[in-house]
Amino acid sequence: MLKYLAPLALLLGGIAPTHAQTVEGAVEGDAILKDFTFGTGEKLSELRLHYTTLGKPQRDEQGHVTNAVMILHGTGGTGKQFFQPQFADELFGPGQPLDTSRYYIILPDNIGHGGSSKPSDGLRMKFPRYDYDDMVAAQHRMLTEKLGVTKLKLILGTSMGCMHAFVWGETHPGFAERLAPFACLPVEIAGVNRMWRALSIDAIKADPLWNDGDYTDPPLAGLRTVASLMLIAGSNPYALQTQYPTRAAAEAYKDQAFARTFARGDANDTIYQLDSSRNYNPWSNLEKITVPMLWINSADDFINQPGYGITEKAAARMPGATFILIPASPETKGHSTHSWAKFWKGDLVKLMAE
C-alpha cells in the first residue's frame, strides 16, 4: 500500500478534483517544449508540461524504456488525482496491476491544468486556444524529448483522458501496446455533453465581473453556475436517491458537495478546459486502432449515456477492443466510476496479460 503524506480531497463527479498531495516515491518534473505550435497556428516559445512519475524506468540493451505506463486525467484534473486511495491503493502496490516496482508510471498535468502552462499564468484569454490534438502532441513530445520514452505498455485515460486515448490510438498507432479508455465516447462532443459545457462557459462570460477575462475579482456568479452543472453532470442518481432519500438530506449533501468545488478553479482556465473538446471526433478513423483495448463506461454516467447505440458500432470497428458497461447501482459513482478501480481492476489485469 502506498504511504500517503497528506489527506486527499474527494473527486466530485470526476470532473473538477481538488488538488491531491504527493505520495512517497513520487518524482515531479517539467518538460519545457520549445517553439510549440498549436492547431490554430498560435505559438508559444516555451510550453511547460508538468508531470509526476512513480517507479523507475527499465531499459533494454538498446537503451529503450520498456516498462512505461501513462495515465491521463480528466477535465479540470491533474496527474495527482490518481493518488486518491480508490485508485492508487488498488493499482500501484506490490502485486497489483500497475505495481510501481515493475512499471514506470507517468502522470502528466495536461495543457491548461495543474502545474502546466495555462491561461491563469498571465496570458489569460490571450493564451493559445488549445484542443485535444494539441494536448496529445504535447504528451508525445514530453515522452520522447524529456523522458526518452518511445513505447508505452499502456495508456489508461479517464474522461478527457479517455478521449485522449482514442486520439493516441489514431495519431500514433502502436505507440502504446494497450489502451484503456474509461468513461467517454469516440464521437464528436454534441448533444447534452456539449450543452452543459457550453452553458458553463456562457455563465462565466455572462458574469459582469469576468470582463472579457481581465477580471480583478473572480466572477463568482458564473463559477457558481459551473459548479452546479458539474454536480449534476457527475452524479449517480441511483446512489443519491438511496443515500439522501429526503429533501433535507439531499439539500445538506448538495451544500457539502458544492462547497468542495465552488470557486476552486480559475475562470479563464475553466473556459479553456471545457472548450478544448470542441474538435474531438475520432469516429472516422477507429479502424486504425488495432491494439488490445479495454474500453469501459458506466450505465449511471450522465455525460456518456449508454443508450445511444454508439458503443456497439464503435467496438465492432476496432478488432482489439473489449467494451464493458458497468451496471448502475447505489455503489457506482456516476461519471467518476472511472476512477474507482474496484469496479474494473480485474479487467485491467486481463488486459495487461495480453
Side-chain angles (χ1 to χ4, degrees):
M1 181 177 293
L2 292 172
K3 177 182 177 183
Y4 287 85
L5 303 181
L8 300 179
L10 294 176
L11 181 69
L12 176 61
I15 300 169
T18 54
H19 291 293
Q21 301 300 311
T22 192
V23 299
E24 191 174 46
V27 176
E28 297 189 52
D30 291 307
I32 305 301
L33 308 178
K34 301 288 188 179
D35 300 318
F36 192 92
T37 301
F38 295 79
T40 60
E42 297 166 284
K43 297 181 180 181
L44 286 178
S45 59
E46 289 187 351
L47 175 73
R48 181 183 66 258
L49 206 67
H50 188 74
Y51 60 87
T52 306
T53 64
L54 294 169
K56 297 184 181 301
Q58 299 172 5
R59 301 180 185 275
D60 61 19
E61 295 179 353
Q62 290 74 41
H64 300 135
V65 177
T66 60
N67 66 332
V69 168
M70 184 166 64
I71 305 179
L72 301 174
H73 63 76
T75 304
T78 74
K80 290 181 183 177
Q81 73 181 54
F82 298 111
F83 292 160
Q84 295 180 90
Q86 63 265 30
F87 193 94
D89 284 356
E90 299 280 347
L91 299 178
F92 293 154
Q96 292 178 332
L98 300 178
D99 183 340
T100 57
S101 69
R102 296 181 56 203
Y103 293 106
Y104 179 47
I105 309 295
I106 303 165
L107 307 166
D109 293 354
N110 288 298
I111 300 174
H113 294 72
S116 296
S117 295
K118 52 189 178 294
S120 61
D121 291 341
L123 288 177
R124 297 194 174 197
M125 295 302 289
K126 295 181 177 65
F127 192 85
R129 196 174 175 219
Y130 64 83
D131 62 13
Y132 284 2
D133 291 338
D134 297 319
M135 297 166 101
V136 167
Q139 294 159 15
H140 184 268
R141 287 188 59 181
M142 173 199 69
L143 292 173
T144 58
E145 297 177 17
K146 174 68 175 182
L147 299 176
V149 173
T150 58
K151 194 81 170 177
L152 291 165
K153 304 298 288 186
L154 170 72
I155 292 176
L156 188 158
T158 63
S159 192
M160 178 180 73
C162 173
M163 292 183 273
H164 287 184
F166 277 102
V167 176
W168 265 97
E170 294 184 357
T171 57
H172 303 286
F175 191 103
E177 296 177 4
R178 303 166 186 82
L179 297 172
F182 297 166
C184 73
L185 297 171
V187 294
E188 182 178 2
I189 301 296
V192 71
N193 197 353
R194 181 59 189 178
M195 290 178 192
W196 78 263
R197 295 168 191 263
L199 286 166
S200 297
I201 293 169
D202 292 347
I204 294 173
K205 291 185 175 181
D207 189 326
L209 289 180
W210 181 64
N211 190 33
D212 294 325
D214 293 325
Y215 48 84
T216 302
D217 296 318
L220 294 181
L223 290 170
R224 176 177 292 276
T225 300
V226 174
S228 300
L229 287 166
M230 286 184 172
L231 174 59
I232 297 300
S235 295
N236 171 5
Y238 302 95
L240 295 183
Q241 182 65 31
T242 299
Q243 296 167 16
Y244 309 103
T246 67
R247 177 189 59 78
E251 292 186 0
Y253 168 78
K254 177 266 297 180
D255 291 339
Q256 296 166 8
F258 183 85
R260 286 198 296 267
T261 57
F262 172 54
R264 286 186 178 271
D266 176 81
N268 292 333
D269 289 349
T270 299
I271 289 173
Y272 274 76
Q273 290 164 2
L274 292 171
D275 192 48
S276 61
S277 62
R278 65 190 179 279
N279 297 329
Y280 169 77
N281 190 0
W283 184 257
S284 61
N285 290 306
L286 291 177
E287 284 79 8
K288 292 183 178 181
I289 302 176
T290 59
V291 298
M293 171 190 282
L294 174 64
W295 176 19
I296 297 180
N297 284 358
S298 55
D300 58 357
D301 187 346
F302 172 88
I303 297 172
N304 303 289
Q305 294 283 332
Y308 296 149
I310 293 169
T311 54
E312 297 85 349
K313 295 176 183 177
R317 295 170 54 196
M318 297 178 289
T322 298
F323 176 74
I324 295 173
L325 182 68
I326 298 174
S329 76
E331 287 71 47
T332 51
K333 310 297 179 180
H335 182 62
S336 61
T337 300
H338 58 58
S339 291
W340 289 75
K342 67 180 181 179
F343 294 107
W344 42 261
K345 179 178 177 179
D347 299 299
L348 183 63
V349 170
K350 295 176 184 176
L351 176 70
M352 298 306 290
E354 290 191 39

